[in-house]
Amino acid sequence: MRIILIGPPGAGKGTQAAAIKGKYEVAHISTGDMLRENVSAGTELGLEAKGFMDAGSLVPDELIINMMRGRLSQPDAAGGFMLDGFPRTVTQAEALDELMDEMSLALDAVVLLDVPDETVVGRLSSRRVCSSCGAIYNTKAHPTKAEGICDVCSGGVIQRDDDKEDVIRNRLAVYHSKTAPLVEYYDKTGRLHRVGAAGAGDAVRRYLESLKDVK
Ligand code: AP5
């Protein structure tokens, strides 16, 4: 399976990808996670990306496309992938289509996780993530068993720098102006699936798992 998850920040892309990656046995590729790893490691890409990420703006297309060109050619992506956070602009979507053509691959589905803005603000301001393994929590909907400690690896659980309300609002504005046009881009080619993702995550997971049967 080759799937793209799109949707506003906080739609649950990372949560759902983590929940279903076992079912599909494909690589979960999150551009946000890749960029944060580069920032932590102090790479040239990380240094260039950090200012954009802290402000809730998009990292320039050229940097992202180069990063993804390398990532999609890694052996673990050969058996399929689930993209989370890429593409995020029409330019990135066109570059992905070209890359897939070069690799003689086709996308199976693009899934839009639909969530209203106010739900996003509530979810992201209460999101916490493990600084060690990246597991995603929520102080309201999915707290850790012991406060501040990851259930999976016992690492420290923190709030992301871009989960402050003013930055969340900017990320939403960027989503509506730069990423929402992808809905039409993929709808035109019949590849788009829409799923309401404001409610419980189980229904979304079941929908994503059912895509395997329509392949
Ligand atoms: P990135 O990390 O991709 O952030 P994002 O798209 O804003 O997505 P999030 O990770 O915030 O949300 P999510 O949908 O994964 O939600 P989650 O599952 O965590 O990107 C960060 C930055 O990197 C960008 O701002 C940009 O600067 C840069 N970047 C990345 N990719 C780029 C690209 N392609 N081009 C340019 N720049 C790029 O869930 C959120 C919270 O809600 C959690 O607490 C979770 O527990 C909770 N939750 C999830 N589902 C439910 C539910 N059903 N009910 C209740 N709570 C729920």
Side-chain angles (χ1 to χ4, degrees), residues 7-16 30-33 35-36 49 52-54 56-61 64 67-68 84-89 92 113 123-124 126-129 136-139 141-142 160 162-163 171 197-202 204:
K13 303 179 293 293
T15 300
Q16 294 297 337
S30 156
T31 42
D33 287 348
L35 290 167
R36 280 184 289 278
F52 296 102
M53 296 172 76
D54 286 348
S57 306
L58 294 184
V59 174
D61 285 334
I64 297 289
M67 178 176 85
M68 288 303 284
D84 157 9
F86 176 85
R88 234 167 165 112
T89 63
Q92 291 180 19
L113 304 188
R123 281 185 188 178
L124 290 184
S126 49
R127 172 167 60 185
R128 300 292 182 270
V129 291
I136 302 168
Y137 297 95
N138 192 284
T139 57
H142 175 38
R160 264 171 50 174
D162 59 352
D163 279 347
R171 287 161 63 199
D202 285 357
V204 180

Side-chain angles (χ1 to χ4, degrees), residues 144-189:
T144 51
K145 290 186 184 116
E147 199 178 332
I149 309 229
C150 177
D151 296 351
V152 180
C153 75
S154 302
V157 169
I158 55 161
Q159 184 168 33
R160 264 171 50 174
D161 287 342
D162 59 352
D163 279 347
K164 300 189 179 84
E165 186 164 340
D166 55 333
V167 183
I168 295 169
R169 299 237 175 240
N170 189 40
R171 287 161 63 199
L172 272 169
V174 169
Y175 172 78
H176 288 299
S177 66
K178 302 277 177 54
T179 308
L182 290 183
V183 173
E184 194 191 339
Y185 180 88
Y186 286 118
D187 207 9
K188 274 195 298 206
T189 56

Side-chain angles (χ1 to χ4, degrees), residues 22-97:
K23 171 101 178 175
Y24 284 117
E25 293 176 355
V26 294
H28 167 205
I29 301 177
S30 156
T31 42
D33 287 348
M34 291 171 72
L35 290 167
R36 280 184 289 278
E37 281 160 20
N38 275 276
V39 170
S40 296
T43 65
E44 194 176 325
L45 171 60
L47 293 173
E48 284 190 75
K50 187 174 186 325
F52 296 102
M53 296 172 76
D54 286 348
S57 306
L58 294 184
V59 174
D61 285 334
E62 195 190 326
L63 295 178
I64 297 289
I65 292 165
N66 282 340
M67 178 176 85
M68 288 303 284
R69 185 172 275 279
R71 181 64 186 88
L72 291 175
S73 59
Q74 296 291 307
D76 69 327
F81 50 72
M82 195 172 356
L83 302 183
D84 157 9
F86 176 85
R88 234 167 165 112
T89 63
V90 171
T91 302
Q92 291 180 19
E94 288 168 347
L96 177 63
D97 279 345

